């Protein structure tokens, strides 16, 4: 505007508004009464907009023979001659992309949560099964069956190491009990004679 004046600005706006490589650009040059002079909008979009601030509004675009509302974010400027210049972008595609990303993230979070819950349930069942097997074997040992041994799963985890240590302890106790029986049997036999 400063170099080419109002007429040059109208030419530049007309050229940019009709550029097929940038269909999301929104331009409008209007006189002080907000009557359009150049651009790709037919009316000034927001009556109560404060000049110099960002504004949001909706325009209708035709897609596949239908009128589809598109969101626009723009900024307005008052030029030295009193004209109003609006420059903005159609953010419909960006909003659509944001919505798709948000939806995909929600589905991914739901899938992850389901996977975590399912994995947690399976893991807790596995762990409780291992603990239950050790508990049942311990009960049998307490009831007097010293030949019982803790189950070893073969995975080498903490439960297996605990079972192996308990089994070694039980073998030592069983050996001691057998030795004590042998000694008491011998003593009882000697006392009878």
């Amino acid at each position: 505007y400063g170099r080419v004046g109002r007429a040059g600005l109208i030419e530049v706006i007309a050229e940019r508004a009709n550029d097929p490589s940038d269909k999301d650009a929104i331009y409008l040059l209007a006189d002080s009464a907000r009557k359009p002079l150049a651009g790709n909008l037919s009316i000034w979009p927001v009556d109560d907009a404060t000049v110099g601030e960002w504004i949001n509004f909706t325009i209708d675009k035709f897609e596949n023979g239908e009128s589809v509302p598109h969101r626009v974010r723009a900024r307005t400027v008052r030029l030295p001659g009193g004209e109003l210049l609006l420059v903005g972008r159609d953010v419909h595609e960006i909003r659509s992309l944001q919505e798709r990303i948000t939806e995909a993230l929600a589905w991914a979070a739901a899938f992850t949560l389901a996977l975590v819950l399912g994995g947690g349930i399976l893991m807790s069942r596995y762990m409780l099964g291992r603990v239950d097997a050790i508990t049942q074997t311990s009960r049998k040992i307490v009831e007097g069956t010293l030949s019982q041994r803790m189950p070893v799963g073969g995975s080498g985890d903490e439960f297996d190491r605990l079972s192996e240590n308990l089994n070694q302890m039980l073998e030592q106790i069983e050996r001691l009990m057998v030795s004590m029986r042998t000694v008491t049997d011998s003593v009882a036999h000697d006392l009878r004679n």
Side-chain angles (χ1 to χ4, degrees):
Y1 184 83
R3 286 185 301 142
V4 293
R6 181 174 161 178
L9 182 61
I10 289 172
E11 283 180 33
V12 169
I13 289 174
E15 180 183 311
R16 289 187 181 183
N18 295 319
D19 183 1
S21 66
D22 191 7
K23 295 189 183 270
D24 292 335
I26 303 294
Y27 297 98
L28 179 61
L29 178 65
D31 62 17
S32 57
R34 297 187 178 179
K35 179 183 169 204
L37 301 172
N40 50 7
L41 294 178
S42 58
I43 60 169
W44 190 262
V46 182
D47 291 331
D48 58 351
T50 304
V51 174
E53 292 185 5
W54 287 98
I55 59 173
N56 296 300
F57 57 93
T58 303
I59 60 172
D60 290 326
K61 284 191 173 180
F62 284 95
E63 296 175 3
N64 300 324
E66 291 183 23
S67 178
V68 178
H70 283 235
R71 301 270 302 148
V72 174
R73 180 141 170 88
R75 185 145 185 155
T76 58
V77 178
R78 185 173 300 279
L79 300 175
E83 297 90 351
L84 293 167
L85 176 64
L86 179 141
V87 178
R89 302 276 316 157
D90 178 343
V91 293
H92 179 75
E93 290 299 320
I94 294 170
R95 299 274 174 151
S96 294
L97 180 63
Q98 285 175 336
E99 289 171 7
R100 286 194 299 266
I101 289 172
T102 301
E103 185 178 334
L105 287 174
W107 279 107
F111 177 72
T112 303
L113 181 63
L115 196 63
V116 166
L117 287 175
I121 289 169
L122 288 175
M123 198 67 140
S124 67
R125 280 186 155 182
Y126 172 74
M127 293 294 186
L128 288 175
R130 297 284 304 265
V131 169
D132 192 41
I134 292 173
T135 302
Q136 287 176 4
T137 305
S138 298
R139 246 188 231 122
K140 289 177 185 175
I141 293 168
V142 168
E143 291 170 357
T145 313
L146 291 176
S147 62
Q148 286 288 318
R149 295 294 178 261
M150 298 294 168
V152 178
S155 62
D157 62 0
E158 289 80 10
F159 284 111
D160 280 354
R161 289 197 306 263
L162 175 64
S163 293
E164 289 167 357
N165 287 334
L166 288 173
N167 288 340
Q168 288 174 359
M169 180 184 72
L170 289 169
E171 286 173 14
Q172 181 69 20
I173 290 171
E174 191 176 20
R175 272 194 303 272
L176 291 172
M177 292 297 285
V178 167
S179 296
M180 193 158 43
R181 262 192 224 120
T182 304
V183 168
T184 53
D185 287 347
S186 294
V187 168
H189 180 66
D190 288 345
L191 287 176
R192 273 188 247 144
N193 291 335

